[in-house]
Amino acid sequence: MNKMTDHPASNRSSTFHKNLEAFLQYEFLNQRTFADELGVDYKWMRRLCHRGLERVDRRTQKDLERITDRYGLQISDLWREQTTENFSPIQDQVLIKWTGSKRLQAEEIISRFPQKIETYYEPFVGGGSVLYRLLKSDIKVNRYRCSDTCKPLIGLWRMVKENPRKLVLRYDEMWRKLQKEGASFYQSVRDEFNDSQCPALFFFLLRTCRNGLIRFNQQGNFTAAFHHGRGGMKPDTVRRIILDWSNLLRQYDVRFYWRNYQRIQASEGDLLYLDPPYRISPRFVLYNGPFDFETFFCWLRKQSSDYLLSLNGFSGEEDRRVDVPTDLYDEHLLIDSGSSSLARMNGNAGGDLRDSLYISRK
């Protein structure tokens, strides 16, 4: 008796299969939920996802139309290789705007990292630009442990990893209301967030506040104003950026914690990347609470791992460096970081920024 062998799927079936998988990823759905939402038989959907489909016929046309109607496609598009280009993740884009973002510096910063890291700690994770570059790099990291004292920020990062679809749907809903109601709706969301600290509301505010400048008052309330003239990033683009981030975070052992940096004790073989709040004009409260550099430096001396520390540098010719004790670093670099969003908000072009990077190797 001849053994049964699996024949390779035809190019058409393979293309159909890839497109269907892209739709599922785009929606953050499993096969059963996708079938339920479309109103089609789950077993039929499972077969499609497993085998693909060679062609449409009378039995499948109606159900295939349910898929294409959902995405504004023609049935023939299900067999086109270019169909899912507009549904694929958008890479190398900022998920959230965050004051002091290291997006422009991230590549240079991680070029100073060792090639093997036991546990990577980032206690001031913020917008995650350095984390993103590290996840995309060929540096071997066993564990990623990221944290911040801003509770809704950590809730947001957990949501991106664990429940991205809910985040996408909430943003879509709020974005559509913003287009109709404008600044008054933004204000209502801000008020609701200050009562609830809801991560999804926080995400919406971060995407629509003025210049992405994160501001809290002394009571811990978010006070950043609406960015008039900009309606926020379109939901489809946001969905694809979240898809990229969520897929990336799920590939690795990445965890997010709401905690103070002082709770971390790094060991030999670990790496700390530190980007604490910078010293700026006292009339601007950009982070939720004060930051004591003397306490921070004492904690840093007790760490057993290598670390890299980003801090103030120069704004044009103005020296804004923090007085970092010389025993805390082996090397001090200045890295170009573009222009200041804070200066732009105040109508002051200022000079280009160069941030300090302090490196300590144990």
Side-chain angles (χ1 to χ4, degrees):
M1 183 175 178
N2 293 332
K3 292 183 178 180
M4 297 293 292
T5 57
D6 290 332
H7 296 285
S10 70
N11 288 338
R12 280 179 59 83
S13 292
S14 177
T15 300
F16 182 96
H17 172 265
K18 289 178 181 178
N19 286 338
L20 196 57
E21 287 296 315
F23 295 146
L24 287 168
Q25 277 200 351
Y26 178 74
E27 296 272 26
F28 304 101
L29 293 174
N30 57 36
Q31 295 171 12
R32 183 178 292 278
T33 306
F34 192 49
D36 289 344
E37 291 195 1
L38 288 171
V40 301
D41 181 67
Y42 164 61
K43 291 183 178 179
W44 177 76
M45 176 60 67
R46 188 174 62 182
R47 286 197 301 272
L48 287 188
C49 291
H50 180 64
R51 302 176 186 173
L53 190 67
E54 184 70 26
R55 63 180 63 85
V56 63
D57 57 33
R58 289 183 179 179
R59 292 178 303 167
T60 59
Q61 181 168 351
K62 186 175 180 180
D63 286 339
L64 291 178
E65 285 176 348
R66 293 175 185 266
I67 297 175
T68 55
D69 288 349
R70 187 181 181 104
Y71 301 110
L73 302 171
Q74 301 295 320
I75 286 183
S76 59
D77 291 332
L78 297 174
W79 287 273
R80 292 179 65 248
E81 292 187 356
Q82 296 82 9
T83 291
T84 54
E85 288 180 358
N86 292 330
F87 298 91
S88 59
I90 296 179
Q91 301 183 10
D92 301 323
Q93 292 292 318
V94 174
L95 175 67
I96 57 173
K97 296 180 179 181
W98 197 258
T99 304
S101 169
K102 294 298 177 288
R103 182 174 62 89
L104 299 178
Q105 307 172 30
E107 198 70 49
E108 185 166 356
I109 289 171
I110 70 163
S111 72
R112 313 284 174 172
F113 286 9
Q115 287 301 302
K116 186 176 181 180
I117 301 168
E118 190 64 30
T119 301
Y120 171 75
Y121 291 102
E122 191 171 342
F124 309 95
V125 66
S129 294
V130 174
L131 172 64
Y132 183 88
R133 281 292 159 212
L134 181 57
L135 289 167
K136 289 278 190 176
S137 76
D138 58 1
I139 297 174
K140 180 176 174 55
V141 183
N142 286 337
R143 291 173 295 274
Y144 302 79
R145 300 295 182 259
C146 302
S147 51
D148 208 288
T149 57
C150 183
K151 189 174 184 179
L153 174 66
I154 294 304
L156 172 56
W157 279 118
R158 290 174 178 170
M159 202 171 185
V160 169
K161 181 180 180 182
E162 300 164 10
N163 198 354
R165 188 165 193 251
K166 182 177 180 180
L167 182 61
V168 166
L169 293 177
R170 287 298 305 276
Y171 180 83
D172 184 286
E173 175 189 355
M174 289 185 285
W175 183 86
R176 295 182 189 283
K177 289 183 178 179
L178 181 69
Q179 309 315 301
K180 296 178 181 179
E181 302 176 27
S184 63
F185 179 72
Y186 174 91
Q187 180 66 54
S188 69
V189 173
R190 192 176 70 179
D191 291 343
E192 184 181 350
F193 166 73
N194 284 329
D195 288 335
S196 68
Q197 300 291 290
C198 171
L201 300 182
F202 193 43
F203 178 66
F204 172 79
L205 294 172
L206 295 178
R207 294 291 347 172
T208 54
C209 68
R210 187 180 178 191
N211 288 333
L213 190 62
I214 313 307
R215 297 177 65 179
F216 293 90
N217 63 19
Q218 293 182 352
Q219 289 72 45
N221 289 327
F222 186 80
T223 60
F226 175 57
H227 198 141
H228 290 277
R230 294 189 182 181
M233 186 176 284
K234 292 183 178 179
D236 181 67
T237 304
V238 167
R239 179 193 296 267
R240 294 169 64 194
I241 293 173
I242 291 175
L243 175 60
D244 178 44
W245 263 104
S246 188
N247 287 345
L248 193 58
L249 293 173
R250 293 182 187 197
Q251 291 177 37
Y252 301 97
D253 182 7
V254 185
R255 301 182 189 179
F256 297 96
Y257 299 93
W258 174 48
R259 65 184 178 189
N260 188 286
Y261 70 87
Q262 295 178 70
R263 294 181 59 186
I264 296 171
Q265 181 59 55
S267 303
E268 184 179 353
D270 297 338
L271 182 73
L272 280 158
Y273 172 65
L274 307 151
D275 185 22
Y278 288 9
R279 282 181 173 163
I280 58 172
S281 170
R283 67 191 182 92
F284 288 102
V285 181
L286 300 183
Y287 292 85
N288 197 356
F291 190 81
D292 184 341
F293 277 96
E294 295 308 315
T295 300
F296 174 70
F297 292 148
C298 288
W299 168 83
L300 202 50
R301 285 190 177 91
K302 299 176 183 178
Q303 301 306 303
S304 302
S305 71
D306 293 356
Y307 58 80
L308 289 86
L309 167 64
S310 290
L311 278 177
N312 301 68
F314 287 82
S315 177
E317 298 302 318
E318 182 184 354
D319 187 348
R320 295 184 174 179
R321 287 175 294 178
V322 175
D323 187 15
V324 179
T326 56
D327 66 297
L328 286 178
Y329 60 92
D330 300 306
E331 187 177 1
H332 174 219
L333 307 172
L334 290 171
I335 301 179
D336 292 336
S337 56
S339 59
S340 168
S341 60
L342 182 60
R344 290 196 305 271
M345 189 186 79
N346 292 312
N348 178 17
D352 288 338
L353 298 178
R354 289 174 293 157
D355 284 344
S356 290
L357 183 67
Y358 299 89
I359 303 173
S360 174
R361 301 180 180 90
K362 301 295 184 179

